[in-house]
């Protein structure tokens, strides 16, 4: 195999990985019903407030995700975007546009884990890998967007 074939296989593989993960993540947002507004209170009463005080990061994460679900639109919108952009990345013709549109989501996922779960190194590597794949897919097509960024006088 020559280097061009290996390069093509590499890019197809990382597109499949990122697109597949986004499809799965988007689907998961619709797999469970949205929680009731009082569910957090019930959960705190059940688990005990002392347990949550000992691990405030868990409470922050639960509150954050619960808040996104309770907006009535954001959790679903995020799921739809992950599915649509994942499909775009998997397609041959829309891969670049899908990668561009997905960059804020992969950046947010990585920053979420960096700031809210900094001790979970495996999760940081995984989400950092998704962000890196996304950046690589965009950088691969730099010739397409370079004229937009560097206009010659």
């Amino acid at each position: 195999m020559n280097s061009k074939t290996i390069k093509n296989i590499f890019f197809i593989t990382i597109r499949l990985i990122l697109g597949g993960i986004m499809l799965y993540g988007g689907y998961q947002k619709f797999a469970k019903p949205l929680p009731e507004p009082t569910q957090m209170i019930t959960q705190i009463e059940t688990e005990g407030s002392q347990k949550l005080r000992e691990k405030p990061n868990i409470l922050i994460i639960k509150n954050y995700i619960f808040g996104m679900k309770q907006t009535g639109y954001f959790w679903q919108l995020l799921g739809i975007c992950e599915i649509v952009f994942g499909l775009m990345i998997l397609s041959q013709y829309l891969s670049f546009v899908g990668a561009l549109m997905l960059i804020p989501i992969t950046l947010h996922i990585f920053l979420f884990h960096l700031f809210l779960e900094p001790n979970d190194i495996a999760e940081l590597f995984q989400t950092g890998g998704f962000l890196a794949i996304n950046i690589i897919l965009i950088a691969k097509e730099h010739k397409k967007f370079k004229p937009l960024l560097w206009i010659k006088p």
Side-chain angles (χ1 to χ4, degrees):
M1 275 197 275
N2 61 19
S3 66
K4 187 175 180 178
T5 305
I6 293 171
K7 195 177 190 181
N8 285 339
I9 291 171
F10 171 74
F11 283 111
I12 289 169
T13 304
I14 65 173
R15 276 182 28 214
L16 289 173
I17 290 169
L18 187 61
I21 291 294
M22 288 300 122
L23 282 175
Y24 178 74
Y27 166 77
Q28 287 298 101
K29 296 198 174 28
F30 297 100
K32 297 177 186 172
L34 291 176
E36 295 295 320
T38 58
Q39 182 179 337
M40 246 346 235
I41 296 167
T42 307
Q43 192 173 6
I44 289 171
E45 289 172 350
T46 305
E47 292 180 8
S49 59
Q50 183 60 35
K51 181 180 176 184
L52 291 173
R53 280 191 198 114
E54 292 171 4
K55 296 182 178 181
N57 276 1
I58 292 174
L59 184 60
I60 292 169
I61 292 167
K62 285 184 179 194
N63 281 335
Y64 183 77
I65 292 174
F66 183 76
M68 286 193 296
K69 290 178 179 180
Q70 287 301 299
T71 61
Y73 74 93
F74 188 77
W75 193 248
Q76 296 87 343
L77 178 65
L78 183 60
I80 289 168
C81 288
E82 287 178 355
I83 290 169
V84 170
F85 302 157
L87 287 171
M88 289 172 80
I89 285 176
L90 291 174
S91 77
Q92 186 173 0
Y93 299 105
L94 299 173
S95 180
F96 175 64
V97 175
L100 275 176
M101 297 174 95
L102 190 61
I103 196 76
I105 295 173
T106 55
L107 177 62
H108 180 264
I109 292 169
F110 174 71
L111 292 175
F112 172 88
H113 290 284
L114 180 66
F115 287 101
L116 298 179
E117 293 182 313
N119 296 329
D120 192 349
I121 302 300
E123 195 78 28
L124 286 175
F125 274 114
Q126 183 182 17
T127 57
F130 299 151
L131 178 61
I133 288 172
N134 203 172
I135 291 169
I136 289 168
L137 289 174
I138 293 170
K140 173 186 178 259
E141 306 293 341
H142 74 281
K143 291 178 184 172
K144 290 181 180 177
F145 65 86
K146 186 176 178 182
L148 297 173
L149 299 175
W150 290 279
I151 299 172
K152 294 181 181 177

